[in-house]
């Protein structure tokens, strides 16, 4: 690891000030992604700003019924919190589908949504990668791209966002609270992460000096009709090949409300509200779900090794919608897919 | 004094840790992981380095009672914490029940993953989210065993969970 200095600020304002003043400074929270990237020399902060002393650890339901998550509440605390399990089972399930118990004990909610891609070319400094070194090219495009994107890619980058939690947050219409030099603002989850375009180095729409302080997730009417289905190379402790966060409300056998976000297929959680809206009023059955999957995946393209995702993704969507419809969410301990 | 990537001088930091019940005052570089501190500076080599990237669980220790990967933890960030390693589980000559169960159920072969497995299993029991075998398997999945002792590891953890269930009505 490179040498770096260490600071532990006592307020968000102080942390943001250090971050803004020093272009080589980076925030550290749980450290499970940043320390890994520093060991591979993928990132080289001159100073790390330890924010774990800040008062951002809440997990609470506010007066509007929304879930308020502090940026520093851990993934484990969040997923096992009784209020989260009762009102936002999709979120709890997605968090528990990710990483390992040890990692979830250390990982924070802010760090989770800000984790960097696991693209091999991003990790390997001997290879080109526009995300790590803008202008150097994309090694994955014609290379080892089994894990890579089938939607929303650009000629400059086909990396995917690795977070499971983010996929649930996208489906649940969450908002991210950030604080920085120009004050506080809230960013709709759909606008938080970005597609690579010609600037793959930017994962999200945060500005220099901004810090994530929390995530709020509105109350939802889905009850047991929500599920997180994650398909991967082994049953646990592996990143998604394709994952689906699905939630629906059914009235008299028809879809009254529908939310679907996909993981493992794009540079950000993939969700298209206009497609969801088109399917409201349609009968909640397999034919509808199959048509929905085709519509949501419109324009998907493979890059060779990841061509299988073109087949896997629609099947995963249909299966997740069947689970949501039946009110039988995927169990994250028993991996049998019903 | 060492220098950062940008050339500025870097100070060591004074931290206090309680390691296996013993209070320690230490000076650490910011980049020293808890794993390296334990192994290289404190000669507590029971905790193993497998991958050094959070992918295997060999480095699992308990920090304030919770299992974490010490290879991805910077020691400087744990000022004030209580750390328990495999060396700290036994009470004198009396092994921890999880250590006993690993021996009883033959839950290892080469033993390299074992300190991490045992610390992880102790964390699992403290957390209280596993009862059935499939839950133990899922919640032990952060520990890889290249010898493939998994079945016996699950037996050992199940036995300890069973003892505890018997003890607390
Ligand atoms: C072996 C392994 C397997 C994994 N498997 C999965 C998986 O299957 N699914 C999954 O979703 N994840 C997985 N993960 C990733 C894990 O979930 C993340 O590493 C973790 O959530 C990051 O949180 P952290 O608090 O440790 O972040 P850190 O490492 O502390 O930070 C991550 C990034 O976010 C920035 N940051 C952190 N907090 C803030 C903040 N509040 N404001 C601004 N910037 C901030 C940091 O500067 C850094 O760039 C895995 C990780 C490992 C090592
Ligand atoms: S050495 Fe820490 S997880 Fe492998
Ligand atoms: S006993 Fe050899 S690696 Fe687990």
């Amino acid at each position: 690891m490179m040498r770096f200095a260490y600071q532990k600020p006592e307020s968000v304002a102080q942390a943001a000030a250090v971050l803004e003043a020093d272009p080589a400074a980076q925030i550290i929270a749980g450290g499970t992604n940043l320390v890994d990237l520093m060991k591979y020399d993928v990132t080289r902060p001159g100073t790390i700003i330890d924010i774990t002393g800040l008062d951002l650890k809440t997990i609470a339901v506010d007066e509007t019924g929304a879930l308020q998550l502090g940026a520093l509440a851990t993934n484990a605390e969040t997923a096992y919190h009784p209020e989260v399990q009762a009102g936002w089972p999709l979120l709890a399930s997605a968090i528990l589908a990710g990483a390992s118990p040890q990692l979830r004990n250390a990982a924070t909610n802010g760090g989770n949504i800000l984790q960097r891609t696991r693209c091999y070319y991003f990790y390997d400094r001997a290879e080109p990668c526009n995300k790590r070194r803008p202008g150097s090219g994309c090694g994955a495009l014609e290379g080892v791209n089994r894990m890579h994107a089938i939607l929303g890619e650009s000629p400059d980058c086909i990396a995917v966002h690795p977070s499971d939690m983010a996929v649930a947050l996208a489906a649940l219409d969450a908002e991210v609270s950030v604080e920085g030099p120009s004050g506080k603002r809230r960013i709709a989850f759909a606008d938080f992460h970005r597609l690579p375009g010609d600037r793959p180095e930017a994962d999200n729409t945060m500005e220099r000096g901004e810090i994530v302080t929390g995530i709020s997730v509105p109350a939802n009417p889905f009850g047991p009709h929500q599920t997180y289905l994650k398909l991967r190379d082994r049953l646990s402790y592996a990143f998604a090949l394709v994952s689906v966060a699905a939630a629906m409300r059914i009235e008299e056998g028809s879809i009254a409300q529908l939310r679907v976000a996909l993981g493992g297929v794009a540079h950000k959680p993939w969700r298209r509200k206009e497609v969801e809206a088109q399917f409201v009023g349609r009968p909640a059955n397999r034919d509808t779900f199959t048509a929905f999957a085709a519509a949501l995946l419109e324009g998907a393209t493979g890059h060779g090794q990841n061509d299988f995702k073109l087949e896997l993704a629609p099947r995963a969507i249909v299966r997740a919608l069947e689970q949501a419809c039946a009110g039988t969410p995927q169990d994250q301990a028993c991996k049998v897919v019903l | 004094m060492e220098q950062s990537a940008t050339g500025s001088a870097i100070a060591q930091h004074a931290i206090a840790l309680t390691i296996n019940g013993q209070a320690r005052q230490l000076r650490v570089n910011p980049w020293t992981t808890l794993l390296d501190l334990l192994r290289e500076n404190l000669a507590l080599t029971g905790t193993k380095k497998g991958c050094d990237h959070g992918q295997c669980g060999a480095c699992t220790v308990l920090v304030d009672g919770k299992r974490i990967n010490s290879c991805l933890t910077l020691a400087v960030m744990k000022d004030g914490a209580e750390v328990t390693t495999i060396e700290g589980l036994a009470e004198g000559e009396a092994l921890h029940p999880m250590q006993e169960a690993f021996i009883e159920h033959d839950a290892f072969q080469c033993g390299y993953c074992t300190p991490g497995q045992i610390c992880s299993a102790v964390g699992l029991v403290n957390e209280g989210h596993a009862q059935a075998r499939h839950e133990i398997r899922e919640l032990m999945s952060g520990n890889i065993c290249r010898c493939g002792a998994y079945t016996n590891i699950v037996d050992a953890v199940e036995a300890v969970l069973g003892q505890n269930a018997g003890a607390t009505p």
Side-chain angles (χ1 to χ4, degrees):
Chain A
M1 246 189 297
M2 289 294 298
R3 302 325 189 201
F4 50 83
Y6 172 79
Q7 288 199 29
K8 190 169 184 178
E10 275 160 20
S11 68
V12 174
Q14 225 179 55
V18 181
L19 197 57
E20 200 201 2
D22 179 358
Q26 287 186 44
I27 300 282
I28 188 163
T32 61
N33 190 222
L34 191 71
V35 174
D36 189 37
L37 291 169
M38 289 194 294
K39 286 184 179 186
Y40 281 114
D41 217 5
V42 171
T43 187
R44 298 173 163 197
T47 298
I48 58 168
I49 308 168
D50 173 3
I51 58 170
T52 57
L54 306 183
D55 184 16
L56 299 171
K57 295 177 184 147
T58 21
I59 304 174
V61 178
D62 70 12
E63 61 287 352
T64 70
L67 176 64
Q68 299 298 343
L69 296 175
L72 292 171
T74 68
N75 281 179
E77 287 159 358
T78 305
Y80 289 118
H81 195 282
E83 301 251 39
V84 179
Q85 297 219 324
W88 293 266
L90 171 56
L91 179 61
S93 182
I95 295 173
L96 294 178
S100 70
Q102 290 95 316
L103 289 161
R104 295 191 296 264
N105 278 342
T108 64
N109 292 331
N112 187 310
I113 62 171
L114 289 167
Q115 63 177 294
R116 312 291 318 267
T117 185
R118 308 299 287 205
C119 173
Y120 329 106
Y121 297 88
F122 178 69
Y123 265 82
D124 187 347
R125 281 176 46 87
E127 295 286 342
C129 170
N130 287 322
K131 188 182 274 298
R132 175 171 37 74
R133 193 150 46 89
S136 62
C138 171
L141 200 56
E142 309 260 307
V144 180
N145 55 32
R146 192 165 176 277
M147 298 293 290
H148 289 71
I150 54 171
L151 286 161
E153 333 81 297
S154 78
D156 292 330
C157 181
I158 59 169
V160 298
H161 196 273
S163 166
D164 291 297
M165 180 183 190
V167 182
L169 292 171
L172 293 169
D173 278 342
E175 276 185 344
V176 183
S177 298
V178 302
E179 193 172 330
S182 39
K184 300 182 185 185
R185 62 188 183 117
R186 283 161 78 108
I187 308 173
F189 209 79
D191 302 326
F192 185 72
H193 294 103
R194 48 187 300 287
L195 291 176
D198 58 5
R199 228 160 46 83
E201 67 276 18
D203 292 351
N204 56 58
T205 55
M206 276 170 52
E207 277 158 26
R208 179 82 218 152
E210 282 185 325
I211 290 176
V212 171
T213 53
I215 300 168
S216 87
V217 199
N220 68 79
F222 302 116
H225 299 284
Q226 42 187 311
T227 188
Y228 189 70
L229 178 64
K230 178 177 180 184
L231 303 178
R232 49 192 141 169
D233 284 326
R234 58 181 184 199
L235 287 179
S236 190
Y237 204 8
F239 288 94
L241 292 167
V242 171
S243 72
V244 187
M248 71 172 81
R249 194 163 58 77
I250 304 157
E251 276 170 16
E252 292 167 14
S254 294
I255 296 173
Q257 219 178 329
L258 183 62
R259 306 268 188 88
V260 179
L262 307 179
V265 297
H267 197 255
K268 61 186 283 189
W270 190 258
R271 186 170 165 209
R272 289 181 60 195
K273 292 188 187 185
E274 69 286 5
V275 176
E276 293 166 10
Q278 281 163 21
F279 283 75
V280 169
R282 303 267 289 262
N285 61 29
R286 194 182 175 98
D287 287 346
T288 303
F289 303 157
T290 306
F292 174 81
L296 180 58
L297 293 168
E298 197 190 296
T301 42
H303 299 278
Q305 294 182 356
N306 69 351
D307 289 350
F308 71 94
K309 289 191 182 183
L310 300 173
E311 192 65 42
L312 190 66
R315 290 175 189 227
I317 295 168
V318 171
R319 187 56 58 92
L321 287 170
E322 286 179 338
Q323 291 180 335
C325 181
T328 52
Q330 179 62 42
D331 186 329
Q332 297 304 349
C334 172
K335 300 298 170 62
V336 179
V337 178
L338 294 171
Chain B
M1 209 179 263
E2 305 236 19
Q3 293 198 333
S4 77
T6 47
S8 48
I10 296 174
Q12 284 202 327
H13 292 259
I15 60 167
L17 288 177
T18 304
I19 302 176
N20 297 331
Q22 199 187 341
R24 315 280 298 239
Q25 303 292 328
L26 302 159
R27 294 191 69 81
V28 294
N29 289 317
W31 53 87
T32 301
T33 61
L34 181 58
L35 176 60
D36 287 342
L37 177 74
L38 292 168
R39 290 183 56 85
E40 309 293 332
N41 302 21
L42 302 174
L44 289 167
T45 53
T47 307
K48 300 303 181 210
K49 184 181 280 193
C51 64
D52 211 22
H53 289 282
Q55 298 176 0
C56 77
C59 66
T60 303
V61 298
L62 300 163
V63 172
D64 296 328
K66 291 192 176 126
R67 49 178 166 160
I68 51 123
N69 305 85
S70 61
C71 70
L72 293 184
T73 305
L74 297 175
V76 68
M77 292 175 68
K78 292 297 160 194
D79 186 21
E82 268 187 47
V83 180
T84 305
T85 69
I86 190 69
E87 290 94 341
L89 288 178
E91 302 267 0
E93 290 298 299
L95 292 182
H96 186 281
M98 193 62 77
Q99 292 174 306
E100 291 282 7
F102 267 63
I103 296 170
E104 172 73 22
H105 292 274
D106 200 12
F108 48 85
Q109 198 180 107
C110 77
Y112 197 82
C113 72
T114 312
Q117 298 277 3
I118 291 178
C119 287
S120 186
V122 170
L124 174 149
V125 173
N126 293 344
E127 288 158 13
H129 301 302
Q131 290 302 325
R133 284 182 76 86
H134 69 270
E135 292 165 336
I136 299 171
R137 282 164 53 103
E138 168 62 18
L139 294 179
M140 284 300 290
S141 71
N143 294 81
I144 308 291
C145 174
R146 291 312 300 260
C147 298
Y150 296 110
T151 315
N152 295 7
I153 292 170
V154 176
D155 288 348
V157 178
E158 193 180 28
V160 173
L161 281 169
Q163 288 164 18
N164 290 4
T168 46

